[in-house]
């Protein structure tokens, strides 16, 4: 029993160390990431914002897939709920960052821009689902809600037109340095989010 407890504590120490190392790596990547001719250093906020938004979308999808599995086998539910909580958190953060970037970079809030509208619709869905979760805590009900949220996110993003936001601006950029830094920032943020999700899952199971 004591040996198992020591093993668990050691595992948690490794996870915390990895989390700190990844956070430090993220700070370095953001600091050394290339500026842009027009946006200057403000583009670093866009790297950060886009990475958080993409990570949030992935966690919404993962939560929906695992929620489907949990309808058959409830052992998947804790993972689904942890990923949904992470998706919630990431989407709220990216929404706040998006508003800050609009003000700093474009000088105002572009509420009529299609991608901004889609982001707000998803944010509204997040808040509704959070309220729903407080009143309906039955895992099967929540699993269905997570699946619906995942589908809503995918449909909303697939049907959004690009008006002000450039389509795949980073992927279509001729700068290899920009692509490498953005890819590294995205992977680091996703890894941090995944580790935090495992912490939350452990708390849900405790």
């Amino acid at each position: 029993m004591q040996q198992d407890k020591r093993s668990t504590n050691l595992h948690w120490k490794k996870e915390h160390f990895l989390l700190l190392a990844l956070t430090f790596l993220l700070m370095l990547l953001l600091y050394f990431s290339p500026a842009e001719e027009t946006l200057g250093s403000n583009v670093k906020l866009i790297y950060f914002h886009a990475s958080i938004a993409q990570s949030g979308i992935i966690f919404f999808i993962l939560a929906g897939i695992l929620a489907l599995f949990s309808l058959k086998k409830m052992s998947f539910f804790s993972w689904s709920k942890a990923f949904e909580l992470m998706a919630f958190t990431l989407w709220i953060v990216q929404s706040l960052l998006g508003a800050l970037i609009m003000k700093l970079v474009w000088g105002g809030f572009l509420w009529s821009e299609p991608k901004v509208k889609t982001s707000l619709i998803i944010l509204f869905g997040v808040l509704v689902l959070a309220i729903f979760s407080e009143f309906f805590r039955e895992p099967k009900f929540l699993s269905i809600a997570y699946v619906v949220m995942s589908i809503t996110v995918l449909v909303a993003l697939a049907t959004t037109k690009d008006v002000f936001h450039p389509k795949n601006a980073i992927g279509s950029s001729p700068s290899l340095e920009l692509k490498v830094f953005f890819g590294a920032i995205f992977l680091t943020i996703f890894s941090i989010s995944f580790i935090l999700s495992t912490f939350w899952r452990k708390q849900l199971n405790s």
Side-chain angles (χ1 to χ4, degrees), residues 36-100:
E36 200 265 338
E37 186 176 349
T38 304
L39 299 176
S41 294
N42 283 333
V43 77
K44 296 173 187 284
L45 277 174
I46 296 176
Y47 300 149
F48 190 48
H49 169 256
S51 296
I52 291 174
Q54 289 189 13
S55 295
I57 292 166
I58 292 172
F59 277 102
F60 274 123
I61 295 169
L62 289 173
I65 292 171
L66 290 172
L68 273 176
F69 289 146
S70 71
L71 291 172
K72 290 287 185 181
K73 190 175 181 181
M74 286 310 299
S75 59
F76 289 102
F77 179 73
S78 60
W79 278 111
S80 178
K81 187 169 185 178
F83 286 159
E84 192 74 22
L85 287 171
M86 179 51 64
F88 282 7
T89 304
L90 291 170
W91 204 260
I92 290 170
V93 172
Q94 81 83 28
S95 297
L96 294 173
L97 271 175
L100 176 63

Side-chain angles (χ1 to χ4, degrees), residues 142-204:
L142 290 178
S143 294
I144 293 170
Y146 296 162
V147 172
V148 171
M149 187 67 196
S150 179
I151 294 170
T152 301
V153 169
L154 288 173
V155 171
L157 293 171
T159 56
T160 301
K161 295 180 181 178
D162 293 289
V163 175
F164 192 86
H165 278 76
K167 187 172 184 178
N168 195 21
I170 295 172
S172 60
S173 171
S175 172
L176 178 61
E177 183 184 17
L178 187 154
K179 293 177 183 177
V180 169
F181 266 93
F182 175 74
I185 290 168
F186 163 72
L187 288 173
T188 304
I189 288 175
F190 183 83
S191 298
I192 290 170
S193 302
F194 186 86
I195 292 171
L196 288 174
S197 296
T198 64
F199 291 166
W200 291 351
R201 178 180 174 266
K202 287 173 183 176
Q203 289 179 348
L204 289 170

